[in-house]
């Protein structure tokens, strides 16, 4: 979710920003008033709620340092800025499109999250990104910026796309006032750094006033407590009659032809893709649900502030209890608010660490029963280039990402429930160096006419005549923002520098095999694919390729390609090196990304006076009105999208809802053997620190053994792959607890009866013993 979880090099954002140079006296007075609960979020009317009201732009969150984390201030830095002239000129490096063709190019092969994290990980990540980060220089109305287009080499032997423009458009971020001339250039974050649901409410009175039901006079405090919705979906720009008076929204791709169809939300990027728009809609509905549950004796402003407080806490609660664990990020236990912690978002996090675009699918898959959509709707979907698959009483919509970008007109016909279920329907792509061509080459571009079959896969280049490469732009953005090198950034986060390219990738060699080379397309061919069982996948088996490969080996090692591009490990761009790292255990991040995330999210928590665990009014709301913020994302979906809770995973961030433990152990004992068959017994121990609720133990039989009966669990064996699921009575394994006597009888393949060599519990590889 900069699609950092976000969007491209251009455009974006439209909320009006407060001048970064806030006077200290005014900010201190405002912060003091907030502590006493006397000033509403608009600063123009008082709410009677007995808790402090958080400002819209983050100002005053820290009373002693009211501009910490405030929108319109410069990003913080962990390491010194790195510019060629020490002030502003980006450091030169290899052409970023050339890097992309050799490193980010996925060869149209999908590789999925090894932890089986669903698309909720990148969707929630993007929703968060659009809550706490937006650089100056992207918004409608921002200064034009300095063009720094990326040269495009049509003769590159690894180039598959045409580009009539001859360049990939790139514009530098605007410099923070007073920087870049006699000192190092800094960049401005135009929104609050806090996790404060700004994507729902916006950062200014003007935007919030339009978003709330009622008048539009610049003062949201005299409006209804509910957010404005149309047919229970986000309002369009013309919802109040005059689209020119609506808050600015980012317009691109399909939406360019009819910009007034844009949906309006707290963040200008809400229309970027269908999953993001659906998430915005979900939390607008959740806000209104809370308002509707409050007594009529309360004022509309009080209802609004109570609902906003709960929404902010829900966003924080899901982030720290579901999203971060799903990504394998652990942080120290919360010990209370610390007013000496500056929560201002860091440039390293926003520009390098949080850009995980390879997790985003090149298509969005949404399923429903055969009566979910009418025949006319299905025909309309097909006319837009959406594949409709009808089988066994179910319908699946396969939406190329290019059709899902900036296409809010699809949200209501598809339906909020099916969209939200689709996000959790299968594993997301693996967070690695490979990026789908929908992002790496044709981001937000309009396809040529008359060729509806080319919107995805190997035929994609035939559908476009220009190139926008998000991966190349990410590399350039790092240079634009003066990011340190990969090794310098590792050291800034307390990690040792790497001394070889194989240390980065975890491979055994950095040499090109015969018949390959840095400019040879054969280098990118896939030599091996394997699944979550650790079993090899036949590249010709289309069924196995569907959502199952989690590891791949290409003909030329990534280390060889990096070495040929950069020459010396100390030259590697931080963004490239971070994605190339072998993942740390039990997560979808490498060591550097995990360190960046852990530091950032710890400070975003500890430096936030309004963090949910600091209890800013939340106990009062729960005791007085019975409204509890402690809901997981699946609960919120079920309450607002017409989806029964039983049809959602217990944790929607994981495929099948199964949360991986941090550690586990399996004992496997053959207790009896006889001609042609045998009996085995397994004990499963949770050696981690959190309970496991629902589990699947996966292993493979090396010699074709077939289970004939199983007890204390269930199994549907798939050739030699064995997924054993818990029984109804043993689905919970607490820390230190062992589920005993999961046993089976099975056939033997001749005299050979090799034991499984690898067991994984909800994708966590277990020790054996």
């Amino acid at each position: 979710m900069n699609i950092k979880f976000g969007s491209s090099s251009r455009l974006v954002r439209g909320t009006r920003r407060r001048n970064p140079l806030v006077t200290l006296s005014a900010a201190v007075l405002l912060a003091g008033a907030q502590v006493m609960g006397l000033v509403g979020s608009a600063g123009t009317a008082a709410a009677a709620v007995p808790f402090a009201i958080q400002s819209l732009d983050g100002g005053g969150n820290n009373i002693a340092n009211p501009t910490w984390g405030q929108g319109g201030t410069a990003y913080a830095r962990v390491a010194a800025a790195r510019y060629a002239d020490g002030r502003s000129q980006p450091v030169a490096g290899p052409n970023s499109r050339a890097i992309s063709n050799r490193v980010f190019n996925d060869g149209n092969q999908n590789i999925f999250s090894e932890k089986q994290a669903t698309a909720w990980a990148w969707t929630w990540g993007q929703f968060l990104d659009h809550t706490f980060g937006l650089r100056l220089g992207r918004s409608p109305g921002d200064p034009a910026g300095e063009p720094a287009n990326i040269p495009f080499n049509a003769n590159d032997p690894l180039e598959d796309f045409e580009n009539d423009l001859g360049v990939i458009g790139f514009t530098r971020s605007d410099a923070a006032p007073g920087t870049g001339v006699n000192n190092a250039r800094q960049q401005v974050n135009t929104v609050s750094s806090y996790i404060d649901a700004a994507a729902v409410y916006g950062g200014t009175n003007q935007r919030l006033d339009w978003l709330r039901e009622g008048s539009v006079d610049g003062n949201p405090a005299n409006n209804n407590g509910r957010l404005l919705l149309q047919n229970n979906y986000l309002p369009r720009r013309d919802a109040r009659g005059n689209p020119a008076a609506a808050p600015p929204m980012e317009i691109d791709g399909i939406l360019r032809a009819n910009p007034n169809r844009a949906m309006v939300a707290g963040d200008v990027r809400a229309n970027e893709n269908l999953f993001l728009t659906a998430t915005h809609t979900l939390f607008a509905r959740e806000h209104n649900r809370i308002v509707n549950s409050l007594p009529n004796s309360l004022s509309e402003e009080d209802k609004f502030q109570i609902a906003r407080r709960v929404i902010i806490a829900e966003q924080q609660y899901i982030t720290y209890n579901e999203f971060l664990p799903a990504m394998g990020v652990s942080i120290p236990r919360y010990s209370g608010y610390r007013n000496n912690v500056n929560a201002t978002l860091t440039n390293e996090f926003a520009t390098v660490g949080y850009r995980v675009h390879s997790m985003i699918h090149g298509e969005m898959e949404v399923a429903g029963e055969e009566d979910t959509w009418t025949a006319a709707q299905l025909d309309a979907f097909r006319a837009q280039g959406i594949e409709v698959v009808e089988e066994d009483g179910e319908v699946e919509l396969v939406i190329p990402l290019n059709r899902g970008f900036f296409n809010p007109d699809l949200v209501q016909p598809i339906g909020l429930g099916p969209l939200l279920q689709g996000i959790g329907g299968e594993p997301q792509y693996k967070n690695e160096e490979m990026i789908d061509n929908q992002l790496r080459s044709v981001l937000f571009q309009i396809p040529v006419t008359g060729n509806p079959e080319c919107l995805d896969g190997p035929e994609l280049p035939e559908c476009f005549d220009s190139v926008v490469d998000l991966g190349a732009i990410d590399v350039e953005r790092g240079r634009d923002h003066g990011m340190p090198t990969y090794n310098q950034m590792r050291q800034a986060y307390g990690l040792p520098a790497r001394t070889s390219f194989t240390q980065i990738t975890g491979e055994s060699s950095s040499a090109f095999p015969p018949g390959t080379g840095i400019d040879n397309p054969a280098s990118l061919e896939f030599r091996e694919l394997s699944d979550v069982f650790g079993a090899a996948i036949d590249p010709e088996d289309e069924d196995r390729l569907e959502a199952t490969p989690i590891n791949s080996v290409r003909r030329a090692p990534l280390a060889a390609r990096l070495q040929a591009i950069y020459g010396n490990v100390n030259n590697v761009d931080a963004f490239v090196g971070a994605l190339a790292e072998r993942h740390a255990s039990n997560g979808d991040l490498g060591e550097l990304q995990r360190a960046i995330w852990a530091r950032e999210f710890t400070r975003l928590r500890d430096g936030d006076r309004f963090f949910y665990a600091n209890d800013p009014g939340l106990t009062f709301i729960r005791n007085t009105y019975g409204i509890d913020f402690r809901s997981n994302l699946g609960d919120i979906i079920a309450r607002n999208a017409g989806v029964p809770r039983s049809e959602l995973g217990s944790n929607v961030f994981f495929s099948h809802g199964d949360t991986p433990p941090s550690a586990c152990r399996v004992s496997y004992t053959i207790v009896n053997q006889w001609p042609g068959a045998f009996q085995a017994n397994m004990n499963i121990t949770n050696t981690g620190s959190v309970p496991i609720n629902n589990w699947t133990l996966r292993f493979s039989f090396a010699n074709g053994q077939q289970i004939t009966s199983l007890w204390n669990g269930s199994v549907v064996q798939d050739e030699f792959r064995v997924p054993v699921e818990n029984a109804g009575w043993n689905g919970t394994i607490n820390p230190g607890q062992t589920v005993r006597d999961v046993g089976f009888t099975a056939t033997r393949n001749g005299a050979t009866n090799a034991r499984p060599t690898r067991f994984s519990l909800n994708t966590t590889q277990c020790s054996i013993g």
Side-chain angles (χ1 to χ4, degrees), residues 77 79-84 86-91 172-173 184-187 347-348 351-352 475-485 488-489 574:
R77 286 189 186 268
R82 175 176 174 258
Y83 292 108
R87 300 184 305 277
S88 180
Q89 181 182 345
V91 172
R172 297 193 67 186
S173 300
R185 180 173 176 137
Q186 308 295 340
Q187 290 75 32
N347 219 324
E348 289 84 357
T351 309
V352 174
V475 174
E476 291 296 325
R477 188 65 60 203
R479 297 168 183 175
D480 170 30
H481 283 214
M483 287 293 101
T485 65
Q488 289 170 341
M489 188 170 287

Side-chain angles (χ1 to χ4, degrees), residues 301-499:
E301 180 65 6
D302 283 349
K303 291 179 183 179
F304 174 83
Q305 295 300 347
I306 290 169
R308 178 172 176 250
R309 167 66 75 246
V310 174
I311 293 293
I312 291 171
E314 286 178 342
Q315 187 185 36
Q316 294 171 342
Y317 185 81
I318 292 167
T319 297
Y320 285 87
N321 292 278
E322 291 189 287
F323 170 63
L324 292 181
M327 294 300 294
V329 177
S330 60
I331 60 177
R333 184 183 298 273
Y334 185 63
S335 60
Y337 170 61
R338 297 170 57 195
N339 63 6
N340 64 337
V341 172
N342 185 351
T344 297
L345 209 69
T346 61
N347 219 324
E348 289 84 357
F349 174 78
T351 309
V352 174
Y354 205 53
R355 293 178 182 249
V356 285
H357 300 133
S358 61
M359 297 193 304
I360 301 174
H361 281 219
E363 59 189 24
M364 297 174 165
E365 298 181 3
V366 179
E369 301 297 326
E370 60 183 351
D371 60 351
T372 303
W373 302 283
T374 66
Q377 285 178 313
L378 295 179
D379 287 341
F381 294 152
R382 292 186 184 97
Q384 291 200 50
I386 296 170
E387 181 183 358
V388 177
V389 181
E390 300 178 79
E391 186 176 356
D392 298 331
E394 294 187 351
V395 178
E396 183 180 50
L397 308 179
V398 183
I399 309 164
L401 196 57
N402 187 268
R403 298 290 87 186
F405 279 140
F406 288 100
N407 197 1
D409 280 346
L410 278 177
V411 175
Q412 189 167 349
I414 293 175
L416 186 63
L419 277 170
L420 296 173
Q421 282 187 287
I423 300 173
E426 70 173 15
Q428 68 181 5
Y429 289 171
K430 188 174 183 177
N431 173 44
E432 59 183 356
E433 78 282 356
M434 292 188 289
I435 300 175
D436 192 280
N437 267 325
Q438 294 276 0
L439 298 165
R440 195 189 74 84
S441 293
V442 298
L443 182 70
F444 304 155
Q445 299 304 288
I446 303 296
V448 298
T449 58
N451 194 0
E453 302 300 323
C454 67
L455 287 175
D456 200 13
E459 291 78 31
L460 190 67
E462 300 174 17
C463 208
F464 297 87
D465 52 21
S466 61
V467 170
V468 176
D469 182 342
L470 188 55
I473 287 167
D474 286 334
V475 174
E476 291 296 325
R477 188 65 60 203
R479 297 168 183 175
D480 170 30
H481 283 214
M483 287 293 101
T485 65
Y486 164 70
N487 263 339
Q488 289 170 341
M489 188 170 287
R490 281 184 60 87
Q491 291 174 309
Y493 281 86
L495 302 172
R498 297 301 193 191
T499 59

Side-chain angles (χ1 to χ4, degrees), residues 667-682 699-711 717 720 722 742-756 759:
S667 68
Y668 177 93
T669 304
I670 296 176
V671 297
N672 198 4
Q673 298 189 68
W674 57 93
F678 72 103
Q679 179 181 335
N681 186 71
M682 298 179 293
F699 59 92
S700 298
F701 279 130
N703 305 118
Q705 298 98 320
Q706 290 291 313
I707 291 178
T708 56
S709 64
L710 182 138
W711 47 93
Q717 188 170 346
F720 54 86
V722 182
V742 179
F744 61 85
T745 57
T747 63
R748 296 174 56 175
N749 184 6
T752 306
N753 192 27
R755 300 166 181 263
F759 294 88

